[in-house]
Every structure is written in structure tokens, then in C-alpha cells.
Coordinates of all heavy atoms in Angstrom, one line a residue:
V1 N 76.4 31.5 -23.2 CA 77.4 30.7 -23.9 C 77.7 29.5 -23.0 O 78.0 29.6 -21.9 CB 78.7 31.5 -24.3 CG1 79.7 30.6 -24.9 CG2 78.3 32.6 -25.2
E2 N 77.8 28.3 -23.6 CA 78.1 27.1 -22.9 C 79.6 26.7 -23.2 O 80.0 26.8 -24.4 CB 77.2 26.0 -23.3 CG 77.1 24.9 -22.3 CD 76.0 23.9 -22.7 OE1 74.9 24.4 -22.7 OE2 76.3 22.8 -22.9
Y3 N 80.3 26.4 -22.2 CA 81.7 26.0 -22.3 C 81.9 24.6 -22.0 O 81.2 24.0 -21.2 CB 82.6 26.9 -21.5 CG 82.5 28.4 -21.8 CD1 81.7 29.3 -21.2 CD2 83.2 28.8 -22.9 CE1 81.7 30.6 -21.5 CE2 83.2 30.2 -23.3 CZ 82.4 31.0 -22.6 OH 82.3 32.3 -23.0
D4 N 82.9 23.9 -22.6 CA 83.2 22.5 -22.2 C 84.0 22.4 -20.9 O 83.9 21.4 -20.2 CB 84.2 21.9 -23.3 CG 83.5 22.0 -24.7 OD1 82.3 21.9 -24.8 OD2 84.2 22.1 -25.7
F5 N 84.7 23.5 -20.5 CA 85.5 23.5 -19.3 C 85.6 24.9 -18.8 O 85.9 25.8 -19.6 CB 86.9 22.9 -19.7 CG 87.9 23.2 -18.6 CD1 88.0 22.3 -17.5 CD2 88.8 24.2 -18.7 CE1 89.0 22.5 -16.6 CE2 89.8 24.4 -17.8 CZ 89.9 23.6 -16.7
V6 N 85.5 25.1 -17.5 CA 85.8 26.4 -16.8 C 86.5 26.1 -15.6 O 86.0 25.4 -14.7 CB 84.5 27.2 -16.5 CG1 84.8 28.5 -15.8 CG2 83.7 27.5 -17.8
D7 N 87.7 26.7 -15.4 CA 88.5 26.5 -14.2 C 88.4 27.8 -13.4 O 89.0 28.8 -13.8 CB 90.0 26.3 -14.7 CG 90.9 26.1 -13.5 OD1 90.4 26.1 -12.3 OD2 92.1 25.9 -13.7
T8 N 87.7 27.7 -12.3 CA 87.5 28.9 -11.4 C 88.7 29.0 -10.4 O 88.7 29.9 -9.6 CB 86.2 28.8 -10.7 OG1 86.1 27.6 -9.9 CG2 85.0 28.8 -11.7
T9 N 89.6 28.1 -10.3 CA 90.7 28.2 -9.4 C 91.4 29.5 -9.4 O 91.7 30.1 -8.4 CB 91.7 27.0 -9.6 OG1 91.0 25.8 -9.6 CG2 92.8 27.0 -8.6
F10 N 91.7 30.0 -10.6 CA 92.5 31.2 -10.8 C 91.7 32.4 -10.2 O 92.2 33.2 -9.5 CB 92.8 31.5 -12.3 CG 93.6 32.7 -12.5 CD1 95.0 32.7 -12.3 CD2 93.0 33.9 -13.0 CE1 95.7 33.8 -12.5 CE2 93.8 35.0 -13.2 CZ 95.1 35.0 -13.0
A11 N 90.4 32.4 -10.5 CA 89.6 33.5 -10.0 C 89.5 33.5 -8.4 O 89.5 34.6 -7.8 CB 88.2 33.4 -10.5
R12 N 89.6 32.4 -7.8 CA 89.5 32.3 -6.4 C 90.9 32.6 -5.7 O 90.9 33.2 -4.6 CB 89.1 30.9 -5.9 CG 87.7 30.6 -6.2 CD 87.2 29.4 -5.5 NE 88.1 28.2 -5.7 CZ 87.9 27.2 -6.5 NH1 86.9 27.3 -7.3 NH2 88.7 26.2 -6.6
I13 N 92.0 32.3 -6.4 CA 93.3 32.4 -5.7 C 94.0 33.7 -6.0 O 94.6 34.3 -5.1 CB 94.2 31.3 -6.2 CG1 93.6 29.9 -5.6 CG2 95.6 31.5 -5.7 CD1 94.4 28.7 -6.1
H14 N 94.0 34.2 -7.2 CA 94.8 35.4 -7.6 C 94.0 36.6 -7.6 O 93.0 36.7 -8.3 CB 95.4 35.2 -9.0 CG 96.3 34.0 -9.1 ND1 97.5 34.0 -8.6 CD2 96.0 32.7 -9.6 CE1 98.1 32.8 -8.8 NE2 97.2 32.0 -9.4
R15 N 94.4 37.6 -6.9 CA 93.7 38.9 -6.8 C 93.5 39.6 -8.1 O 92.5 40.1 -8.5 CB 94.4 39.9 -5.8 CG 94.5 39.4 -4.4 CD 95.1 40.4 -3.6 NE 94.1 40.6 -2.6 CZ 93.7 41.7 -2.0 NH1 94.3 42.7 -2.1 NH2 92.8 41.7 -1.2
E16 N 94.6 39.6 -8.9 CA 94.6 40.3 -10.2 C 93.5 39.7 -11.1 O 92.9 40.4 -11.9 CB 95.9 40.3 -10.8 CG 96.0 40.9 -12.2 CD 97.3 40.7 -12.9 OE1 98.2 40.0 -12.3 OE2 97.5 41.3 -13.9
G17 N 93.4 38.4 -11.0 CA 92.5 37.7 -11.9 C 91.1 37.5 -11.4 O 90.3 36.8 -11.9
A18 N 90.7 38.3 -10.3 CA 89.4 38.1 -9.7 C 88.3 38.2 -10.8 O 88.3 39.2 -11.5 CB 89.2 39.1 -8.6
G19 N 87.5 37.2 -10.9 CA 86.4 37.2 -11.9 C 86.8 36.7 -13.2 O 86.0 36.5 -14.1
L20 N 88.1 36.4 -13.4 CA 88.5 35.8 -14.7 C 88.8 34.3 -14.5 O 89.4 33.9 -13.5 CB 89.8 36.4 -15.2 CG 89.7 37.9 -15.5 CD1 91.0 38.4 -16.1 CD2 88.5 38.2 -16.5
C21 N 88.3 33.5 -15.5 CA 88.5 32.0 -15.4 C 89.0 31.5 -16.7 O 88.6 32.0 -17.8 CB 87.1 31.4 -15.2 SG 86.3 31.8 -13.6
K22 N 89.9 30.5 -16.6 CA 90.3 29.8 -17.8 C 89.1 29.0 -18.3 O 88.5 28.4 -17.5 CB 91.5 28.9 -17.5 CG 92.2 28.3 -18.7 CD 93.3 27.4 -18.3 CE 94.4 28.1 -17.6 NZ 95.6 27.2 -17.3
A23 N 88.9 29.0 -19.6 CA 87.8 28.2 -20.2 C 88.2 27.6 -21.5 O 89.1 28.0 -22.1 CB 86.6 29.1 -20.4
A24 N 87.4 26.6 -21.9 CA 87.6 25.9 -23.1 C 86.3 25.6 -23.8 O 85.3 25.3 -23.2 CB 88.4 24.6 -22.9
K25 N 86.4 25.6 -25.1 CA 85.3 25.1 -26.0 C 85.9 24.5 -27.2 O 86.7 25.1 -27.9 CB 84.3 26.3 -26.3 CG 83.1 25.8 -27.1 CD 82.0 26.9 -27.0 CE 80.7 26.4 -27.7 NZ 80.0 25.4 -27.0
N26 N 85.4 23.3 -27.6 CA 85.9 22.6 -28.7 C 87.4 22.5 -28.7 O 88.1 22.7 -29.7 CB 85.4 23.3 -30.0 CG 83.9 23.3 -30.1 OD1 83.3 22.3 -29.7 ND2 83.4 24.4 -30.6
R27 N 88.0 22.2 -27.5 CA 89.4 22.0 -27.3 C 90.3 23.3 -27.6 O 91.5 23.2 -27.8 CB 89.9 20.9 -28.2 CG 89.3 19.6 -27.8 CD 89.9 18.5 -28.6 NE 89.1 17.2 -28.4 CZ 89.4 16.1 -28.9 NH1 90.4 15.9 -29.7 NH2 88.7 15.0 -28.6
K28 N 89.7 24.4 -27.5 CA 90.4 25.7 -27.6 C 90.2 26.5 -26.3 O 89.1 26.5 -25.8 CB 89.9 26.5 -28.8 CG 90.1 25.9 -30.2 CD 91.6 25.7 -30.4 CE 91.8 25.1 -31.8 NZ 93.3 24.9 -32.1
F29 N 91.3 27.1 -25.8 CA 91.3 27.7 -24.5 C 91.5 29.2 -24.6 O 92.0 29.7 -25.6 CB 92.5 27.1 -23.7 CG 92.3 25.7 -23.3 CD1 92.7 24.7 -24.2 CD2 91.7 25.3 -22.1 CE1 92.5 23.4 -23.9 CE2 91.6 24.0 -21.8 CZ 92.0 23.0 -22.7
G30 N 91.0 29.9 -23.5 CA 91.1 31.3 -23.4 C 90.7 31.7 -22.0 O 90.7 30.8 -21.1
Y31 N 90.4 32.9 -21.8 CA 89.9 33.4 -20.4 C 88.5 34.1 -20.6 O 88.3 34.8 -21.6 CB 90.9 34.3 -19.8 CG 92.0 33.6 -19.0 CD1 93.1 33.2 -19.7 CD2 91.8 33.3 -17.7 CE1 94.1 32.5 -19.0 CE2 92.8 32.6 -17.0 CZ 93.9 32.2 -17.6 OH 94.9 31.6 -16.9
I32 N 87.6 33.9 -19.7 CA 86.3 34.6 -19.7 C 86.2 35.4 -18.4 O 86.9 35.1 -17.4 CB 85.2 33.6 -19.8 CG1 85.2 32.5 -18.7 CG2 85.2 32.9 -21.2 CD1 84.0 31.6 -18.6
N33 N 85.3 36.4 -18.4 CA 85.0 37.1 -17.2 C 83.8 36.5 -16.5 O 83.3 35.5 -16.9 CB 84.8 38.6 -17.5 CG 83.5 38.9 -18.4 OD1 82.7 38.0 -18.5 ND2 83.5 40.0 -18.9
H34 N 83.4 37.2 -15.4 CA 82.3 36.6 -14.6 C 81.0 36.5 -15.3 O 80.1 35.8 -14.8 CB 82.2 37.4 -13.3 CG 81.7 38.8 -13.5 ND1 82.5 39.8 -14.0 CD2 80.5 39.4 -13.3 CE1 81.8 40.9 -14.1 NE2 80.6 40.7 -13.7
L35 N 80.8 37.2 -16.4 CA 79.6 37.2 -17.2 C 79.7 36.1 -18.3 O 78.8 35.9 -19.1 CB 79.3 38.5 -17.9 CG 79.1 39.7 -16.9 CD1 79.0 41.0 -17.7 CD2 77.9 39.5 -16.1
G36 N 80.9 35.4 -18.4 CA 81.1 34.4 -19.4 C 81.5 35.0 -20.8 O 81.6 34.3 -21.8
E37 N 81.9 36.3 -20.8 CA 82.4 36.9 -22.0 C 83.9 36.7 -22.2 O 84.6 36.8 -21.2 CB 82.1 38.4 -21.9 CG 80.7 38.8 -21.7 CD 80.5 40.2 -21.3 OE1 81.3 40.8 -20.7 OE2 79.4 40.7 -21.7
P38 N 84.3 36.3 -23.4 CA 85.7 36.1 -23.6 C 86.5 37.4 -23.4 O 86.2 38.4 -23.9 CB 85.8 35.6 -25.0 CG 84.4 35.2 -25.4 CD 83.5 36.0 -24.6
I39 N 87.6 37.3 -22.6 CA 88.5 38.3 -22.4 C 89.8 38.1 -23.2 O 90.4 39.0 -23.8 CB 88.9 38.5 -20.9 CG1 87.6 38.7 -20.0 CG2 90.0 39.5 -20.6 CD1 86.9 40.0 -20.4
I40 N 90.2 36.8 -23.2 CA 91.2 36.3 -24.2 C 90.4 35.2 -24.9 O 90.0 34.2 -24.4 CB 92.4 35.7 -23.5 CG1 93.2 36.8 -22.8 CG2 93.3 35.0 -24.5 CD1 94.4 36.3 -22.0
P41 N 90.1 35.4 -26.2 CA 89.3 34.5 -27.0 C 89.7 33.1 -26.9 O 90.9 32.8 -26.8 CB 89.4 35.0 -28.4 CG 89.8 36.4 -28.3 CD 90.7 36.5 -27.1
L42 N 88.8 32.2 -27.0 CA 89.0 30.7 -26.9 C 89.5 30.3 -28.3 O 88.8 29.6 -29.1 CB 87.8 30.0 -26.5 CG 87.5 30.1 -25.0 CD1 87.1 31.4 -24.6 CD2 86.4 29.1 -24.6
L43 N 90.8 30.6 -28.6 CA 91.4 30.3 -29.9 C 92.7 29.5 -29.7 O 93.2 29.0 -30.7 CB 91.9 31.6 -30.5 CG 90.8 32.7 -30.8 CD1 91.5 34.0 -31.3 CD2 89.9 32.2 -31.9
Y44 N 93.1 29.3 -28.5 CA 94.4 28.7 -28.3 C 94.4 27.3 -27.9 O 93.5 26.8 -27.2 CB 95.2 29.6 -27.3 CG 95.2 31.0 -27.7 CD1 94.3 32.0 -27.2 CD2 96.1 31.5 -28.7 CE1 94.3 33.3 -27.6 CE2 96.1 32.8 -29.1 CZ 95.2 33.7 -28.5 OH 95.2 35.0 -29.0
D45 N 95.5 26.5 -28.3 CA 95.6 25.1 -27.9 C 95.9 25.0 -26.4 O 95.6 24.0 -25.8 CB 96.7 24.4 -28.7 CG 96.2 24.4 -30.2 OD1 95.1 24.1 -30.5 OD2 97.1 24.7 -31.1
Q46 N 96.6 26.0 -25.9 CA 97.0 26.0 -24.4 C 97.1 27.5 -24.0 O 97.5 28.3 -24.8 CB 98.3 25.4 -24.1 CG 98.3 23.9 -24.3 CD 99.6 23.3 -23.9 OE1 100.4 23.9 -23.1 NE2 99.9 22.1 -24.4
V47 N 96.7 27.8 -22.8 CA 96.9 29.1 -22.2 C 97.5 28.9 -20.8 O 97.1 28.0 -20.1 CB 95.6 30.0 -22.1 CG1 95.1 30.4 -23.5 CG2 94.6 29.3 -21.3
G48 N 98.5 29.8 -20.5 CA 99.1 29.7 -19.1 C 98.3 30.6 -18.2 O 97.3 31.2 -18.5
E49 N 98.7 30.6 -16.9 CA 98.1 31.5 -15.9 C 98.4 32.9 -16.2 O 99.4 33.3 -16.8 CB 98.7 31.1 -14.5 CG 98.4 29.7 -14.1 CD 96.9 29.3 -14.1 OE1 96.1 30.2 -13.7 OE2 96.6 28.2 -14.3
L50 N 97.4 33.8 -15.9 CA 97.6 35.2 -16.1 C 98.6 35.8 -15.1 O 98.5 35.5 -13.9 CB 96.2 35.9 -15.9 CG 95.3 35.8 -17.1 CD1 93.9 36.4 -16.7 CD2 95.8 36.5 -18.3
Q51 N 99.5 36.6 -15.6 CA 100.4 37.3 -14.7 C 100.5 38.8 -15.3 O 100.8 38.9 -16.4 CB 101.8 36.7 -14.6 CG 101.7 35.4 -14.0 CD 103.1 34.8 -13.8 OE1 104.1 35.4 -14.2 NE2 103.2 33.6 -13.3
N52 N 100.1 39.7 -14.5 CA 100.1 41.1 -14.9 C 99.3 41.3 -16.2 O 99.7 42.0 -17.1 CB 101.6 41.6 -15.1 CG 102.4 41.6 -13.8 OD1 101.9 42.0 -12.8 ND2 103.6 41.1 -13.9
N53 N 98.2 40.7 -16.2 CA 97.2 40.8 -17.4 C 97.8 40.2 -18.7 O 97.4 40.6 -19.8 CB 96.8 42.2 -17.6 CG 95.9 42.7 -16.4 OD1 95.1 42.0 -16.0 ND2 96.2 43.9 -16.0
V54 N 98.8 39.3 -18.6 CA 99.4 38.6 -19.7 C 99.3 37.1 -19.5 O 99.6 36.6 -18.5 CB 100.9 39.1 -19.9 CG1 101.6 38.3 -21.0 CG2 100.9 40.6 -20.2
A55 N 99.0 36.4 -20.6 CA 99.0 35.0 -20.6 C 99.9 34.5 -21.7 O 99.9 35.0 -22.9 CB 97.6 34.4 -20.8
I56 N 100.7 33.4 -21.4 CA 101.5 32.7 -22.4 C 100.5 31.8 -23.2 O 99.7 31.1 -22.5 CB 102.6 31.9 -21.8 CG1 103.5 32.8 -21.0 CG2 103.4 31.1 -22.8 CD1 104.3 33.8 -21.8
V57 N 100.5 31.8 -24.5 CA 99.5 31.0 -25.3 C 100.3 30.1 -26.3 O 101.4 30.5 -26.7 CB 98.5 31.9 -26.0 CG1 97.7 32.7 -25.0 CG2 99.2 32.9 -26.9
K58 N 99.6 29.1 -26.7 CA 100.2 28.1 -27.7 C 99.1 27.9 -28.8 O 98.0 27.7 -28.5 CB 100.5 26.8 -27.0 CG 101.1 25.8 -28.0 CD 101.5 24.5 -27.3 CE 102.1 23.5 -28.3 NZ 102.4 22.2 -27.6
M59 N 99.6 28.1 -30.0 CA 98.8 27.8 -31.2 C 99.6 26.8 -32.0 O 100.7 27.1 -32.5 CB 98.5 29.0 -32.0 CG 97.5 29.9 -31.4 SD 97.0 31.3 -32.5 CE 95.6 30.6 -33.3
G60 N 99.1 25.6 -32.3 CA 99.9 24.6 -33.0 C 101.1 24.3 -32.1 O 101.0 23.9 -30.9
N61 N 102.3 24.4 -32.7 CA 103.5 24.1 -32.0 C 104.3 25.4 -31.6 O 105.4 25.3 -31.2 CB 104.4 23.2 -32.8 CG 103.8 21.8 -33.0 OD1 103.2 21.3 -32.1 ND2 104.0 21.3 -34.2
K62 N 103.6 26.5 -31.7 CA 104.3 27.8 -31.4 C 103.7 28.5 -30.2 O 102.5 28.4 -29.9 CB 104.2 28.7 -32.6 CG 104.7 28.1 -33.9 CD 106.2 28.0 -33.8 CE 106.8 27.4 -35.1 NZ 108.2 27.2 -35.1
W63 N 104.5 29.2 -29.5 CA 104.2 29.9 -28.3 C 104.3 31.4 -28.5 O 105.1 31.9 -29.3 CB 105.1 29.5 -27.1 CG 104.9 28.1 -26.7 CD1 105.5 27.0 -27.2 CD2 104.0 27.6 -25.7 NE1 105.1 25.9 -26.6 CE2 104.2 26.2 -25.7 CE3 103.1 28.2 -24.9 CZ2 103.4 25.4 -24.8 CZ3 102.3 27.4 -24.0 CH2 102.5 26.0 -24.0
G64 N 103.5 32.2 -27.7 CA 103.6 33.6 -27.7 C 103.0 34.2 -26.4 O 102.7 33.4 -25.5
A65 N 102.6 35.4 -26.4 CA 102.0 36.0 -25.3 C 101.0 37.1 -25.7 O 101.2 37.8 -26.7 CB 103.0 36.7 -24.3
V66 N 99.8 37.1 -25.0 CA 98.7 38.0 -25.3 C 98.3 38.7 -24.0 O 98.4 38.1 -22.9 CB 97.5 37.4 -26.0 CG1 98.0 36.9 -27.4 CG2 96.9 36.3 -25.2
T67 N 97.7 39.9 -24.1 CA 97.1 40.5 -22.9 C 95.6 40.2 -22.8 O 95.0 39.6 -23.7 CB 97.2 42.1 -23.1 OG1 96.3 42.5 -24.1 CG2 98.6 42.5 -23.4
T68 N 95.1 40.6 -21.7 CA 93.6 40.3 -21.4 C 92.8 41.1 -22.4 O 91.6 40.8 -22.5 CB 93.2 40.7 -20.0 OG1 93.7 42.0 -19.7 CG2 93.8 39.7 -19.0
G69 N 93.3 42.0 -23.2 CA 92.6 42.7 -24.3 C 92.9 42.0 -25.6 O 92.5 42.5 -26.6
N70 N 93.5 40.8 -25.5 CA 93.9 40.0 -26.7 C 94.9 40.7 -27.6 O 94.9 40.5 -28.8 CB 92.7 39.5 -27.5 CG 93.1 38.3 -28.3 OD1 93.9 37.4 -27.9 ND2 92.6 38.2 -29.5
K71 N 95.7 41.6 -27.1 CA 96.7 42.3 -27.9 C 97.9 41.3 -27.8 O 98.4 40.9 -26.7 CB 97.1 43.6 -27.3 CG 98.2 44.3 -28.0 CD 98.5 45.7 -27.4 CE 99.7 46.3 -28.1 NZ 100.2 47.5 -27.4
T72 N 98.5 41.0 -29.0 CA 99.7 40.2 -29.0 C 100.9 41.0 -28.6 O 101.2 42.1 -29.2 CB 99.9 39.6 -30.4 OG1 98.8 38.8 -30.8 CG2 101.2 38.7 -30.5
I73 N 101.6 40.6 -27.5 CA 102.8 41.3 -27.1 C 104.1 40.5 -27.4 O 105.1 41.1 -27.4 CB 102.7 41.7 -25.6 CG1 102.6 40.5 -24.7 CG2 101.6 42.7 -25.4 CD1 102.7 40.9 -23.3
L74 N 103.9 39.3 -27.7 CA 105.0 38.4 -28.1 C 104.5 37.5 -29.2 O 103.6 36.7 -28.9 CB 105.6 37.6 -27.0 CG 106.8 36.7 -27.2 CD1 108.0 37.6 -27.7 CD2 107.2 35.9 -26.0
E75 N 104.9 37.7 -30.4 CA 104.4 37.0 -31.6 C 104.3 35.5 -31.3 O 105.3 34.9 -30.7 CB 105.3 37.3 -32.8 CG 104.8 36.7 -34.1 CD 105.7 37.0 -35.3 OE1 106.6 37.8 -35.1 OE2 105.4 36.4 -36.3
I76 N 103.3 34.9 -31.8 CA 103.1 33.4 -31.6 C 104.0 32.7 -32.7 O 103.4 32.3 -33.7 CB 101.6 33.0 -31.6 CG1 100.9 33.8 -30.5 CG2 101.5 31.5 -31.4 CD1 99.4 33.7 -30.6
A77 N 105.2 32.6 -32.4 CA 106.2 32.1 -33.4 C 107.3 31.3 -32.7 O 108.2 30.9 -33.4 CB 106.8 33.3 -34.2
Y78 N 107.3 31.1 -31.4 CA 108.4 30.5 -30.7 C 108.1 29.0 -30.4 O 107.0 28.7 -30.0 CB 108.7 31.3 -29.5 CG 109.1 32.7 -29.8 CD1 108.2 33.7 -29.9 CD2 110.4 33.0 -30.1 CE1 108.5 35.0 -30.3 CE2 110.8 34.3 -30.5 CZ 109.8 35.3 -30.5 OH 110.2 36.6 -30.9
D79 N 109.2 28.2 -30.5 CA 109.1 26.8 -30.2 C 109.1 26.5 -28.7 O 109.6 27.2 -27.9 CB 110.3 26.0 -30.8 CG 110.1 26.0 -32.3 OD1 109.0 25.9 -32.8 OD2 111.2 26.0 -33.0

């Protein structure tokens, strides 16, 4: 899979995120593993840094939180 953007900074700096990188395709962001497989699908307008396997995400004008398994733990409904 080819991506428009891959940020390897997180994978190099944070132990918990070793092997995970923020990536983008067609202006949608998520996280991929070292094989290039989506861990958090590239569906979001913005994604924050991973902390405890959770990322803050933005869709449209709303924010929420998802896990590295893409389980929503905070509904994407907040301004």
C-alpha cells in the first residue's frame, strides 16, 4: 500500500508505539504498523499522538478517541 505521508518520529521516540507510524492517504490520517497495515484506519481528518494505545481523532468538526484496535472509547461528537 502506498501512503501520501508516513511520520516515523513516533515509532522512534515512544516505546509503546514502537513500530507504529502516523500515516495519511487522500488527506485522511490513521496509524499503520511496521508492515504498512492500518492499526487505526486512515479515516480521520486529524489524529493525535498515541498514549496508552489510544489516539484522539477528529472527523469533520468533531473529536473523539479510538484505540489501536479502532474501538471507539469516546464518541466522535465533541467540539
Side-chain angles (χ1 to χ4, degrees):
V1 174
E2 198 170 303
Y3 297 100
D4 300 330
F5 166 82
V6 175
D7 180 1
T8 59
T9 304
F10 184 78
R12 290 194 309 261
I13 294 174
H14 299 283
R15 298 185 122 211
E16 179 187 3
L20 299 182
C21 300
K22 189 183 295 184
K25 185 163 182 74
N26 300 322
R27 299 184 186 182
K28 296 295 182 180
F29 293 85
Y31 275 89
I32 59 173
N33 65 16
H34 68 283
L35 299 174
E37 301 166 330
I39 300 302
I40 295 178
L42 283 68
L43 301 173
Y44 304 100
D45 296 315
Q46 291 183 22
V47 293
E49 300 299 329
L50 283 172
Q51 293 185 1
N52 299 317
N53 295 315
V54 174
I56 301 298
V57 296
K58 182 180 183 185
M59 288 184 93
N61 293 323
K62 302 294 182 182
W63 293 89
V66 297
T67 68
T68 51
N70 200 41
K71 179 182 175 188
T72 300
I73 59 170
L74 185 61
E75 184 180 354
I76 302 168
Y78 298 91
D79 291 326

